Structures are given as C-alpha cells and as structure tokens.
Amino acid sequence: MSDWLMSVPAFIVAIGLLVAVHEYGHFWVARRMGVKVLRYSIGFGNRVWGFTGRRSGIEYWLSAIPLGGYVKMLDEREGPVAEADKPYAFNRQHPARRIAIVAAGPGVNFLFAIAAYWLVFMIGVAGIKPMIGAAPADSLAAQAGLRAGDEIVAIDDRRIENWEDLRLGLIERGLDGDAVDLQVRTDEGSVRRVGLDLSNVPADPEQLFDRLGLMPYQPPATPLIADVVADSAASRAGLQKGDQIQAVDGDAMDTPQALVERIQSSPGERVQLTVTRDGQTLDIPVTLASVQGDDGAEEGRLGAQIGVDAAAWQSMRTTRQLGPLAAVPAAVAKTWEVSALTVRLMARMVTGEVSLRNVSGPIQIANYAGQTASIGLEAFVGFLALVSVSLAVLNLLPIPVLDGGHLLYYSIEWIRGRPLSEAVQVAGQQVGMVALLMLMTLAFYNDILRLLG
C-alpha cells in the first residue's frame, strides 16, 4: 500500500508534466503560425479547474482523466467559423504549416529529454560498475572466457560507465546480430579483449542476457533478511528483519545469490539456518515452502526479501558527473541512443522477434515512477527523460489519431496538391482507433500479468 502512495502521485506528476510539454509544443507553434487556439487542456473529459485568458480568450483546463491532453484549434471541420476568423482556422493553413504544428509536440518531447538528461549528467548518474558475476558453463559469456569479477569497460571501443550502459549497448548489438569486441578489465587490473558472437542470440531483451549468461557481480557479503513476508516459512520459523544468514545446513553463504539458489533447490525440505542476531549466533530450523517456478518445476521458497549490508556494495558504486558544457553532447547522444533503440525494438515487435510482453501500460509506468521518485531526483528525472522519448516515438507512429498519422495525411496532401477524400480519412481514423485500443488493451494485460507475478 505504501508503494502505491508514492507511485500514484509520482505518476500523475510525470504524466501531467510530459503531456503539458507535448501539448505546449503544438500550442506554441500554432500561435506562432497565426492559428487561433481555443483551448489548452491537460487531461481529457470534464474540466476540473481552469481559467480563460483575458486578452487571448484561450481556455486553460485541467481535466478529469490524466492520461493525455489536447490543444483545440479553430477548425471548420469541427463547427461553423465566422468569416473574419477563417484565415486563422487550422484547416485553412498550408500543409507545411500544419506539419510544423503537429510535429512540434513530439519535437518538444525530444528537447525535454535532452534537457532532462543534461540535468541528470550535471547531478551525476549513479549506478553500479559493469562487473559480471559467474556465468553458467553453457552460456556464451563462459564460452568466450569471461569470468566472475571481470569489468567490461568498452564495447567496440565505446566506453562503458555502468551496468545500464552495458545493458543498452548489448541490446543494441544484439539487434544487429553481429560479433562484438569487449574490452575487459580483470580483478588484477590488466585489460584484455574478448570477442562475443551475438549472431544466434534472441533479439528480445528479456531473453538476451539469459542466453549470454551475464548478471551483475555480487561482492562477497553475508546475506541478510531485509523483510519477512507474513504467514510464510520465514515468519513461522521466527526469522526477523536484520538477521544475517551465515550458513544453510552448515554450508557457508557468502552472497545473496548463493542463498537464493540453495533455498530454491530445496522445495518442501526442513533446513537449518545459522543466523547472527544482535551479536548472537542462532540455529533456526525452517521448513521451506514448495512453489511452482517459471519453468514448471518445484522450487523452495523462504518467504523473505534477501539483501546485504549496504557497505558491502560501496565498492561497486560508480557516479558519472559532467560539467555544463560536457553534459550537452552527452545528453544529445543519450537521447538519440534511447530513441533509436526504442524504434528498433518496436519494429522487432511487429516482426515477432521481440515479445509483446515488453509493452508497458499505466500501471507499470506508475510503478516505475514511484520507484524512481523514492530513489531520488536523478533517478526520477532520468525516468522522465525515458518516458518523454517513448511518448515522442509513439506519437510519431503513422497511425491515424496519433500525430504521426496526421503527419502522413498532410504530407500526402502536400505532394498530391489536394487532401485525401473524407471517406478515406474517416476509415483511417477508425482503423487508428482500433489499433490504439488494441495497444492499450495489450499494455493493461501485460501490467496485470506483472502484478499477478
């Protein structure tokens, strides 16, 4: 419940801000083009609050449904227009001017993303070093000779600063299906080159890293109980938040991953945990639950959130901070990288190479908004930049009812010298509404599946 108390306000702030930015792009360019604007609304539906500009006569609204917004312009297709106002109607403008007005929304979202990333680089991008854990023997990483503790410092001579850089870089190269050249720093400090063949890896990000066998390195650290689930094996055994788990049946546990794997391999079994609590060592017997895993096999479940002492991860933390001038090209490059990757992933979804499960809806976005807001300003601003890029790319899709569909119509009109017939435009709008409804349904379906685990 407390998570949603953070997620809902963060979601409303994020969506409200990004929609306001998007619609302001349309609003600003329309007014500069001499088009009469009637209303600027954040949200759809009935007005919750608003006012009317004294000199402009423009209505400024906050509306009931905070999932979008719109700029209403004078248009003869939507109602009668006085003869004196016809030169200021949107439909009377040259196609090039209408294209500029429509393109301004996504364009301002891209500019917002650049500004947000610029601020993030100024504040400092926190992350974890791109060090990898032990890879399974049959994985591509193990076959290429990568070892636990190796730090990947470059992909094809492109510098890697943190784990997010590594993830995005490999997803991008995985879509290409080419071999990549990694520069790897060992724990002794020497640097070597490792070739990684990505020609046979799945393009889907959900499967890519499993096939590669790459996961973040976990420094040796005694796992501890970060939280206990009510009415679980852990709570019934008397385990408490803060207990440090030293061993399971006498086998030492030096990482959270080792503990998780040991628990999962013992469904329904009675094990003895050796824990340290308030300076005392206790032996606590626990009968593990048995649940069905993702692969259908039974696995053990303790019913506790496993963590480590934060001090153990200090050596893994890294921060990239740039000055005002250096942050500008970095922000532009980051926006371009995220935009290009978003377009490529969408294209692979259409061809079926990337799972539609990657589509997220309002519930998942709200969840991410709450998580990043709870982390801090840098994380939340970075989240805003990412969603702003996604909003821009989505709106540029050539689907009627979206900005991209209008851009397609006006471009065709400009080329052929006359607009498409009203019947064709209406049919396109209907197809666009169906496509958008299907996309929204898919997004909500994915969100619900994630909630259900």
Side-chain angles (χ1 to χ4, degrees), residues 240-262:
Q240 298 178 11
K241 181 178 180 180
D243 285 350
Q244 292 185 318
I245 302 179
Q246 306 288 343
V248 178
D249 287 339
D251 298 326
M253 297 289 112
D254 60 357
T255 66
Q257 186 63 30
L259 174 62
V260 170
E261 292 175 355
R262 179 68 175 80

Side-chain angles (χ1 to χ4, degrees), residues 413-437:
E413 179 183 346
W414 194 3
I415 293 170
R416 70 197 296 258
R418 63 184 187 279
L420 294 170
S421 69
E422 186 174 339
V424 170
Q425 293 191 46
V426 170
Q429 296 285 343
Q430 292 173 343
V431 171
M433 288 296 293
V434 171
L436 197 58
L437 181 60

Side-chain angles (χ1 to χ4, degrees), residues 155-156 170 173-174 176-182 194-200:
I155 299 177
D156 292 335
L170 288 178
R173 299 305 193 278
D176 295 330
D178 297 329
V180 297
D181 179 60
L182 306 179
V194 174
L196 199 59
D197 185 7
L198 303 182
S199 59
N200 294 316

Side-chain angles (χ1 to χ4, degrees), residues 142 171 255 383:
I171 290 174
T255 66
F383 163 78

Side-chain angles (χ1 to χ4, degrees), residues 184-198:
V184 179
R185 181 185 294 121
T186 66
D187 51 7
E188 292 88 11
S190 61
V191 177
R192 72 183 195 280
R193 290 185 176 271
V194 174
L196 199 59
D197 185 7
L198 303 182

Side-chain angles (χ1 to χ4, degrees), residues 35 47 63-64 76 103 105 142 195 197 204 264 268 318 326-327 360 363 401 406 432:
V35 175
R47 187 185 78 162
S63 300
E76 291 175 285
D197 185 7
D204 195 321
Q264 289 180 341
T318 181
S360 295
I363 298 174
V401 310
H406 294 301

Side-chain angles (χ1 to χ4, degrees), residues 58-174:
I58 299 172
E59 298 175 334
Y60 297 90
W61 283 15
L62 283 178
S63 300
I65 306 173
L67 294 177
Y70 62 93
V71 173
K72 183 178 180 181
M73 292 172 271
L74 190 68
D75 196 313
E76 291 175 285
R77 296 167 298 182
E78 297 181 3
V81 174
E83 192 66 33
D85 285 338
K86 286 184 178 180
Y88 311 111
F90 178 77
N91 64 289
R92 290 285 183 116
Q93 308 305 309
H94 188 276
R97 298 167 74 87
R98 279 178 274 153
I99 287 172
I101 293 170
V102 172
V108 171
N109 276 124
F110 285 124
L111 292 177
F112 177 88
I114 292 173
Y117 280 128
W118 177 82
L119 180 60
V120 165
F121 284 125
M122 288 275 291
I123 297 172
V125 180
I128 60 173
K129 294 179 180 178
M131 297 176 66
I132 62 172
D138 60 346
S139 67
L140 292 177
Q143 294 169 13
L146 292 171
R147 300 186 295 269
D150 283 346
E151 181 179 355
I152 300 175
V153 296
I155 299 177
D156 292 335
D157 294 323
R158 174 185 168 187
R159 186 177 176 185
I160 300 298
E161 300 279 354
N162 51 43
W163 188 262
E164 182 187 359
D165 286 350
L166 174 62
R167 181 174 175 80
L168 290 178
L170 288 178
I171 290 174
E172 182 181 355
R173 299 305 193 278

